[in-house]
Amino acid sequence: MSDIIQLLPDSVANQIAAGEVIQRPASVVKELVENALDSGADEVTIHIKDAGKTLIQITDNGCGMSPTDARMAFERHATSKINSANDLFCIRTMGFRGEALASIAAIADVELRTKRMEDEVGTLIHIIGSEVKTQEPVACSNGTTITVKNLFYNVPARRKFLKANTTELKHIISEIQRMALPNPDIRFSFFHNNSSLYELGKSNLRRRIADIFGKSINQSLVPVEEETSLVNISGYVGQPKYARKTMGEQFFFVNKRYMRHPWFHKAVMQAYEKLLPADSFPSYFLFLEIDPAAIDINVHPTKTEIKFEDDRAIWQVIFAAVRESLGKHNVVPSIDFDQSGNIDIPVRSKETGEIQYPEIRVNRDYNPFETEKTPSFKLPKSAKTEKSNLTRWEDLYQGAQLILRSEDETSPAPGFLESVKSSEGISRKKILQLKQKYILSPVKSGLMVIDQKRAHERILFEKFMEVLKSDSVASQQQLFPQTLELDAGDAELLKNILDDLLSLGFDIREFGKNTFIINGTPGVLDVSSPEIIIEKLLEEYKNSPVNAKAKAKVQVAISLAKASALDYGTELKQEEIDHLIDNLFACATPNYSPEGKKVLTIIPLEDIEKSFNK
């Protein structure tokens, strides 16, 4: 039998490596921008088209490369960052593996233009699928420009599973944010389809955060500063009152490198203990400076997972630093009495002399039962004014009794429907709410349990679908239009679904860069804070996007229903419970939420009796 093990060609090996390093267009942007930062550039310009599927172009004004270095940069494991294994313990650069450019060139059409300051001309290299097509001198500016076209053109399976443009663009924006935040001294320009999304000038950290996430976040930032022999921590955390229901503004950086660390995230959340509801997330931007020898970043190709030599001690430092900052800036609740309406106590002056106290006069001969006086309030006509004050005390309450009696007569009696569209037949007089989360009702076969949030989602979803099918849309105009400022990613997402929101009854228009004005909301919604509904809608839509345009409206209706539904912990009155149940069983599919989750279940009587060993 002949030998069967053979060495793979470099082009195939590069495609395999690209499967780990380059997962989507955002991975290309990340690797190329990191190379630009390592080159010493202070200006980086990013151009993309069709969310990076058609074009990705990164331009920097860094040190540039010589013709030989430009060619060697596309070889596997070719890097200028490290020379030996010992260098892995003192890494300060963003990249060090030497795999990124080789992986990108294996799955795309890549063109490199680079020039050093001391050179008269630059170098042009054109590579398609790991094959060098051209290498020649070219006139270009100092620095490097890399253009990547037709990503995954020779890996159709990977290109097929790319998400919608809005999703891929959101990932690219997230990567740019992670690199722009720790480098406020570097200018970033980001364009998508020739439209400017970011123009981040050189500034300080606080200004950079406000430029990325909107000016409104500036007022919520609390500075954090802690220096220890193990780690130095700096940055900002958000005030509890500005916490959001969804994640998205939580960042950890180690030596200017973004990382994910759920355990350190728990340290921050515990610092906010008893300051936030369980379902809220504060913003934080924390930067850790630590000895490179005490961490290992060579864990995953994306370099977002980092191992620490003493993570328990760092956990304690993070917790203490955040907690101390919240206390220093009076974010932790303290006893604070309202001073409005209080009488100002005058301060005694030295020249006023002796203090004169007010004189109190008492008429000791006064008897309230001797003389009859006209009361200061108006008595009813039936009251007999000739009675004395002592015998007329019942008249004081006569007006109040009339008011109470009229309220009792006009108060609506609780209305219970005789039947519901359910085969079980709910007993309305025995319905109760459990933990402000579930609705319990005895039925013929046992006990029915309804999830109130999912039930409301189903009701709203079917209403929205009816609105989408009909031509008439009822929109409730706002008396005072609300202004909504979003980051670049959410703003692009909102632009893509504006037409669908218009069909649902929203009246939202662009009002400047990344800013929108809300003039109206759907009439079927009782919206007190439309900007919060839109923010929730965008988060729900991002978490479960769809590619098919035919399903886009359905997904918008699902996301809007989830964002508008009543939250757990909401106490319902009996009439509201009845109304919820009536609308639920009037739905076409009352048993499941729009996402297919169970809305109600029935616990059989036999199971209940078994729990009591009957």
Side-chain angles (χ1 to χ4, degrees), residues 185-427:
D185 56 336
I186 297 178
R187 178 183 179 86
F188 285 87
S189 301
F190 177 41
F191 300 88
H192 178 236
N193 292 339
N194 298 322
S195 175
S196 175
L197 297 186
Y198 280 137
E199 283 290 348
L200 305 176
K202 298 179 181 180
S203 60
N204 55 31
L205 177 58
R206 188 173 192 131
R207 177 65 181 273
R208 177 58 58 89
I209 294 174
D211 289 342
I212 292 177
F213 296 100
K215 297 178 182 179
S216 59
I217 198 175
N218 187 38
Q219 60 186 343
S220 71
L221 297 179
V222 175
V224 177
E225 195 74 32
E226 187 70 33
E227 294 185 3
T228 66
S229 58
L230 179 63
V231 61
N232 295 335
I233 300 177
S234 61
Y236 295 92
V237 295
Q239 297 182 24
K241 63 181 179 180
Y242 294 100
R244 304 177 66 177
K245 295 293 184 182
T246 56
M247 298 187 66
E249 297 173 358
Q250 293 77 32
F251 294 88
F252 276 116
F253 298 92
V254 178
N255 298 340
K256 292 190 175 182
R257 184 190 302 276
Y258 172 79
M259 75 163 181
R260 295 188 183 95
H261 208 295
W263 202 42
F264 288 171
H265 170 74
K266 188 176 180 181
V268 177
M269 296 304 296
Q270 285 200 9
Y272 281 87
E273 190 176 8
K274 297 182 180 179
L275 300 178
L276 286 177
D279 58 346
S280 297
F281 302 95
S283 303
Y284 60 80
F285 310 88
L286 297 179
F287 299 80
L288 282 64
E289 287 292 332
I290 192 171
D291 183 4
I295 60 176
D296 182 10
I297 61 177
N298 192 22
V299 178
H300 192 272
T302 59
K303 300 186 285 290
T304 57
E305 298 178 13
I306 299 178
K307 288 186 177 181
F308 291 81
E309 185 177 356
D310 194 356
D311 52 358
R312 291 181 179 273
I314 296 177
W315 192 98
Q316 295 292 340
V317 174
I318 293 174
F319 171 79
V322 175
R323 193 70 176 177
E324 181 182 5
S325 296
L326 294 176
K328 278 183 178 179
H329 295 81
N330 296 325
V331 176
V332 178
S334 59
I335 298 176
D336 185 18
F337 297 99
D338 187 8
Q339 300 297 325
S340 60
N342 288 0
I343 300 174
D344 292 334
I345 301 176
V347 181
R348 179 186 176 187
S349 176
K350 295 182 179 179
E351 301 177 356
T352 55
E354 187 177 354
I355 298 177
Q356 297 293 330
Y357 294 97
E359 182 180 358
I360 301 177
R361 296 180 180 181
V362 179
N363 184 6
R364 299 184 182 279
D365 297 329
Y366 175 73
N367 187 347
F369 301 106
E370 283 186 353
T371 58
E372 177 182 355
K373 294 183 178 180
T374 305
S376 59
F377 54 87
K378 185 177 181 181
L379 291 174
K381 295 181 179 180
S382 60
K384 298 180 180 180
T385 57
E386 65 271 9
K387 293 183 179 181
S388 64
N389 288 340
L390 181 63
T391 58
R392 205 173 59 242
W393 63 273
E394 294 179 350
D395 294 337
L396 296 173
Y397 298 93
Q398 187 167 353
Q401 290 174 354
L402 292 174
I403 294 174
L404 291 174
R405 190 176 299 113
S406 63
E407 288 181 353
D408 292 338
E409 291 173 356
T410 57
S411 59
F416 300 102
L417 297 180
E418 297 180 357
S419 60
V420 182
K421 291 184 178 180
S422 171
S423 60
E424 295 292 338
I426 298 177
S427 176

Side-chain angles (χ1 to χ4, degrees), residues 451-465:
D451 187 307
Q452 66 181 39
K453 180 176 176 60
R454 294 180 182 176
H456 199 203
E457 289 175 5
R458 165 52 63 179
I459 295 169
L460 292 176
F461 171 71
E462 296 204 0
K463 284 185 177 180
F464 292 143
M465 292 306 298

